[in-house]
Amino acid sequence: MHQTTSTASHPRGSLELVRRFFANVPLLAWFCGALVAVILERAVGLSMAQSLGMPRIPVLFGFLVFLKQPALIPGALGYVLLMNILPICITAKIGAPVFNLVSRILYKMPLVVTALVHLAVLYAVFHFWADVNAYRMIMLKMMLISILLTLSLNVINGYMGEFSCSHPGFMALGAYAASLFTVGLFVNDQLFGPAMMTSDYAVVFFPLGLFFTGLVSALGALVIAIPSFKTRGDYLAIISLAFTFIIKSVLENLEFLGGPRGLSGQPDWSSLPMVFIIVVFGVWVINNFVTSTMGKALNAVRDDEIAAEAMTVDTRKTKIIAFMFAAFWAGVAGGLFAHVLRFVNPSTFGIQKLAEVLAMVYFGGLNSVYGSIVGAVSISLLGEALRPLEILKWIIIPLLLILVMIFRPRGLISFKEFNIHNLLKPRG
Amino acid sequence: MPLLEVSNMSHNFGGLRAVNEYNLAIEPGQIVGLIGPNGAGKTTVFNLITGIYRPTEGRIVFNGQDVTGHAPNRIASLGLARTFQEMRLWRHMTVLEHVKMACYSKFTYGLAGAFLQTPKRIREEAEVEELAFASLKMFGVEQFASHWPTDLPYGAARRVEMARAAVTKPKLLFLDEPTVGMTPEEMLAMIEVVRKMHETLKPAVFLIEHRLKVVSELCHRVQTLVFGQVIAEGTPEEIQNNPKVIEAYLGEEKVVA
Ligand SMILES: Nc1ncnc2c1ncn2[C@@H]1O[C@H](COP(=O)(O)OP(=O)(O)OP(=O)(O)O)[C@@H](O)[C@H]1O
Ligand SMILES: [Mg+2]
């Protein structure tokens, strides 16, 4: 809180100058700037890329060429500057007075309206950006899904302060439950026979199916929660790790689910709007929970359990509910995930997935919605950029994580409350 | 019928008999003090009655209900609030959130309200926020509402703990050494704060203190505990002049202040 005031009166280097320069730019202007940039890219992106010596548009802000084709780095950097950074910054800064005017009008309306307008612009940005090629589309969907996954794990490992390793297990439950639902009912499949229902109402059935998917995961969570939260102590880490391994090996041995080969043929129902809406809704619900006094009870239990109990908090019930709630969203994320890849197999949900989601939580920051978003996005991007290194990637990411832990033990943006009013307010 | 009745309560920590055959009755609205040298078992008595420890023997009846061995949160929900000698504030919660948290069992919005912004949730959170502010005001710390506990001056932190305990208008309030570590001026101010709170909310109060000044200013009745045993009980004057009490405190300076 006091940090903002002290930095405002004490400019710290060039970063602070940049911050001041853009201080009057509201969020809406940034989103609209991004929209201008992605539309511009559609119009002139390819010719710009070619004139900079690249065969096609760099798919991920040049991240991918860094290791694969170092010769293209200058071109990619130039492209990012000309097609992404400059259009966004120029639109945002020059348009700031206009966007502030619009923001002021929006700000007077109910918060829902303001938030929806912002989200609509954001969605348009995603749409135009990802429309360029299939790689971007999958990458973006996976990134959105990992936000949901990270934030739900943050509820347990951050807000509640326990250490859970069961997220891959919950995700697997969700992925398989959702696949069973869609492949079993809506698809002609050799495992489950002909379709029983038409997929005309996918927009209704899919979210409904995901809801039940989440409930399946939540029930799985109950199996862990009951023994783990019976007594004080650190049983959760070990029990939840066992859970992940058990789920994985059970799935490997269930022939009717495809065994180790897995399940495929999921319908293409994780469309971008579907993923976007469900992830946004999930983030909203989780944020509602952690800002309610019921959810704050998790912090109280974590910081001092005896005091929490003396203030009437039912610590066991609180922990069990939060744990099931987190599992619910991990299951939903798993269901979405299965329908992006349109293929699942048990080995996806092993120790590597666990490392990935833990990295996202601890890198981004404990006890923070912003942190989980930052963590999920940055580890996703980094993972893509380091992909050519294959297994070395799993040495570099943990090393990076260790560095973060040394300098910021709780992650980049920890213990910061998501403040929607502050985010959407006009700035001048 | 007394509000709180403890009969023949004993507690062992391994081989140590921390509390022995302890009896207590507190009437509604009464202020009772508990004094005794360091390690006498005073805090243990608090922890036993509030459910943190389960007594080895004995019976605790609060508000007509046998609560022996009940979980602390259940006992607290019946209207027994407390503060802690070592001050247990939550590191990552603001002062206002502390006080709101104490109203945990008053919320009725359920899971729907916790997950969605239901009108009921919005209304209840706002109502509780108002209660919390009123409680902070009563203890003179409303200006710290948005602070973190680590940023609080010592005396303010103690008051925040009391505001948190008192916000639900408990029938019975346990205060564990509310003036420990305070200067004489701070102590006098604290006496006034407790007195004002008692006049407004009229709870019964059970108070652990080392300073006789606090006890004689506030308490209707005082118990003296030595080695887990009550050696004397009576009005503050009676206790101060009781030879057994004087002997137990011999050489202890705290009692004079
Ligand atoms: N959890 C525990 N386990 C073992 N022994 C304990 C425990 N808590 C307290 N004791 C012991 O019980 C005795 C009574 O301790 P208690 O804290 O109740 O004393 P007190 O009267 O509150 O003292 P003080 O004035 O220092 O606060 C002491 O000998 C203490 O060491
Ligand atoms: Mg004590």
Side-chain angles (χ1 to χ4, degrees):
Chain A
M1 224 175 291
H2 26 219
Q3 213 164 18
T4 39
T5 49
S6 69
T7 45
S9 55
H10 262 291
R12 260 190 332 203
S14 48
L15 209 66
E16 183 55 31
L17 287 179
V18 173
R19 213 183 67 87
R20 277 197 184 180
F21 182 71
F22 289 113
N24 69 334
V25 177
L27 189 67
L28 188 64
W30 289 115
F31 284 1
C32 289
L35 188 59
V36 168
V38 289
I39 291 173
L40 194 68
E41 179 174 64
R42 263 167 93 94
V44 301
L46 187 60
S47 47
M48 172 67 81
Q50 280 162 349
S51 68
L52 286 166
M54 284 172 295
R56 59 197 118 74
I57 294 176
V59 278
L60 202 62
F61 311 112
F63 272 113
L64 300 187
V65 305
F66 268 81
L67 291 165
K68 272 196 249 169
Q69 296 152 297
L72 296 183
I73 291 177
L77 288 179
Y79 183 90
V80 170
L81 185 69
L82 290 174
M83 298 288 359
N84 303 135
I85 297 176
L86 284 181
I88 295 176
C89 292
I90 292 173
T91 315
K93 181 67 189 173
I94 294 184
V98 180
F99 291 118
N100 271 322
L101 188 70
V102 180
S103 279
R104 264 199 300 280
I105 295 168
L106 283 174
Y107 203 65
K108 288 197 193 95
M109 295 186 195
L111 189 63
V112 203
V113 180
T114 324
L116 285 180
V117 170
H118 282 81
L119 286 170
V121 179
L122 184 63
Y123 176 76
V125 173
F126 285 166
H127 171 82
F128 287 118
W129 183 78
D131 217 21
V132 168
N133 64 28
Y135 172 84
R136 276 191 181 177
M137 190 55 101
I138 291 200
M139 163 70 203
L140 178 62
K141 286 177 188 171
M142 287 301 184
M143 202 166 80
L144 289 171
I145 292 170
S146 63
I147 290 175
L148 193 54
L149 205 61
T150 307
L151 185 56
S152 64
L153 183 60
N154 207 341
V155 171
I156 307 171
N157 288 31
Y159 290 91
M160 186 158 97
E162 302 268 348
F163 194 88
S164 168
C165 303
S166 47
H167 254 49
F170 297 146
M171 225 187 144
L173 281 179
Y176 273 82
S179 302
L180 266 180
F181 172 76
T182 57
V183 178
L185 292 179
F186 300 93
V187 176
N188 295 315
D189 180 85
Q190 57 218 51
L191 277 176
F192 304 107
M196 284 182 251
M197 292 162 101
T198 66
S199 35
D200 296 348
Y201 298 103
V203 277
V204 181
F205 282 122
F206 192 45
L208 203 68
L210 287 176
F211 179 76
F212 289 108
T213 294
L215 292 185
V216 170
S217 286
L219 280 181
L222 196 59
V223 175
I224 305 179
I226 287 175
S228 305
F229 302 137
K230 201 160 205 154
T231 45
R232 283 181 205 141
D234 299 320
Y235 300 108
L236 182 63
I238 193 78
I239 294 178
S240 61
L241 189 62
F243 176 84
T244 290
F245 284 123
I246 290 170
I247 292 285
K248 187 167 166 256
S249 57
V250 165
L251 289 173
E252 274 163 356
N253 288 295
L254 287 179
E255 265 321 306
F256 83 101
L257 291 175
R261 276 163 292 114
L263 268 182
S264 59
Q266 286 87 341
D268 186 15
W269 285 358
S270 280
S271 61
L272 185 59
M274 182 65 79
V275 173
F276 183 78
I277 288 170
I278 289 178
V279 169
V280 167
F281 180 72
V283 171
W284 180 68
V285 171
I286 296 175
N287 187 56
N288 282 342
F289 180 57
V290 298
T291 50
S292 72
T293 302
M294 298 288 112
K296 284 264 153 69
L298 289 177
N299 294 0
V301 170
R302 174 197 62 203
D303 289 352
D304 193 323
E305 188 158 343
I306 292 194
E309 283 181 347
M311 298 305 140
T312 73
V313 176
D314 185 338
T315 56
R316 184 152 182 247
K317 191 179 106 191
T318 303
K319 286 182 185 181
I320 291 180
I321 288 175
F323 195 70
M324 291 176 73
F325 176 71
F328 175 92
W329 288 109
V332 171
L336 286 171
F337 177 86
H339 288 79
V340 173
L341 287 184
R342 304 179 66 190
F343 161 75
V344 281
N345 70 2
S347 67
T348 316
F349 305 107
I351 202 83
Q352 194 162 320
K353 191 94 224 157
L354 177 64
E356 191 181 307
V357 60
L358 283 175
M360 288 173 178
V361 171
Y362 287 89
F363 183 81
L366 294 175
N367 202 98
S368 153
V369 175
Y370 292 123
S372 285
I373 295 174
V374 168
V377 170
S378 45
I379 297 286
S380 295
L381 288 177
L382 198 69
E384 288 306 305
L386 298 179
R387 193 188 281 278
L389 295 180
E390 299 188 357
I391 195 72
L392 264 184
K393 173 173 136 180
W394 288 108
I395 297 174
I396 295 183
I397 291 184
L399 277 180
L400 198 85
L401 199 61
I402 291 171
L403 276 182
V404 172
M405 293 285 115
I406 290 172
F407 291 105
R408 301 195 74 138
R410 296 195 180 97
L412 286 182
I413 313 178
S414 55
F415 293 94
K416 197 161 165 33
E417 203 157 287
F418 190 70
N419 187 339
I420 187 107
H421 283 278
N422 202 20
L423 213 54
L424 303 184
K425 73 173 186 223
R427 289 168 201 273
Chain B
M1 194 182 60
L3 178 64
L4 175 74
E5 192 163 24
V6 180
S7 31
N8 294 318
M9 182 174 73
S10 301
H11 191 67
N12 301 338
F13 286 119
L16 174 77
R17 192 136 179 108
V19 176
N20 188 28
E21 296 281 310
Y22 177 83
N23 290 289
L24 169 72
I26 300 183
E27 300 295 330
Q30 202 177 29
I31 304 183
V32 178
L34 182 62
I35 63 169
N38 288 103
K42 304 181 294 297
T43 300
T44 306
V45 166
F46 267 30
N47 290 343
L48 286 167
I49 299 173
T50 54
I52 292 178
Y53 305 139
R54 173 191 266 272
T56 316
E57 285 154 45
R59 209 166 94 96
I60 304 158
V61 177
F62 176 57
N63 204 24
Q65 198 175 334
D66 189 337
V67 296
T68 323
H70 283 198
N73 63 303
R74 284 187 55 197
I75 298 174
S77 327
L78 295 174
L80 200 170
R82 70 172 291 180
T83 66
F84 294 90
Q85 180 173 3
E86 68 276 29
M87 272 203 295
R88 291 174 175 268
L89 296 175
W90 297 301
R91 176 91 171 62
H92 298 285
M93 286 166 65
T94 66
V95 164
L96 184 66
E97 285 166 1
H98 274 76
V99 186
K100 284 178 76 181
M101 185 55 65
C103 304
Y104 178 89
S105 60
K106 306 259 181 247
F107 287 99
T108 63
Y109 56 65
L111 289 184
F115 299 154
L116 307 168
Q117 298 274 352
T118 57
K120 193 173 186 185
R121 166 197 171 143
I122 295 169
R123 195 185 63 237
E124 284 187 2
E125 291 277 355
E127 282 167 8
V128 164
E129 192 157 318
E130 215 158 284
L131 281 181
F133 259 111
S135 188
L136 286 171
K137 209 169 232 159
M138 183 188 303
F139 291 92
V141 283
E142 73 276 17
Q143 71 273 28
F144 297 112
S146 63
H147 285 225
W148 303 109
T150 38
D151 300 337
L152 294 177
Y154 175 75
R158 283 247 163 236
R159 285 160 182 243
V160 167
E161 244 217 340
M162 292 172 114
R164 176 176 72 173
V167 66
T168 50
K169 305 193 172 49
K171 297 188 187 74
L172 177 55
L173 183 60
F174 280 20
L175 302 175
D176 198 341
E177 304 204 18
T179 71
V180 69
M182 288 188 176
T183 63
E185 299 79 54
E186 284 174 326
M187 176 191 77
L188 291 178
M190 186 53 101
I191 292 175
E192 275 325 299
V193 165
V194 173
R195 183 173 283 144
K196 197 180 94 194
M197 181 275 299
H198 186 256
E199 276 164 14
T200 333
L201 303 179
K202 306 218 167 19
V205 178
F206 191 31
L207 173 92
I208 295 180
E209 256 304 332
H210 274 298
R211 311 203 209 205
L212 274 194
K213 167 85 177 157
V214 180
V215 170
S216 52
E217 285 276 335
L218 288 171
C219 296
H220 304 125
R221 203 154 54 78
V222 183
Q223 280 188 331
T224 310
L225 198 68
V226 177
F227 291 124
Q229 197 110 29
V230 177
I231 57 159
E233 184 164 355
T235 63
E237 296 79 53
E238 286 166 358
I239 287 294
Q240 259 163 317
N241 302 321
N242 186 314
K244 281 204 260 178
V245 177
I246 294 169
E247 189 194 359
Y249 269 110
L250 216 60
E252 288 242 0
E253 281 170 40
K254 277 181 184 156
V255 76
V256 195

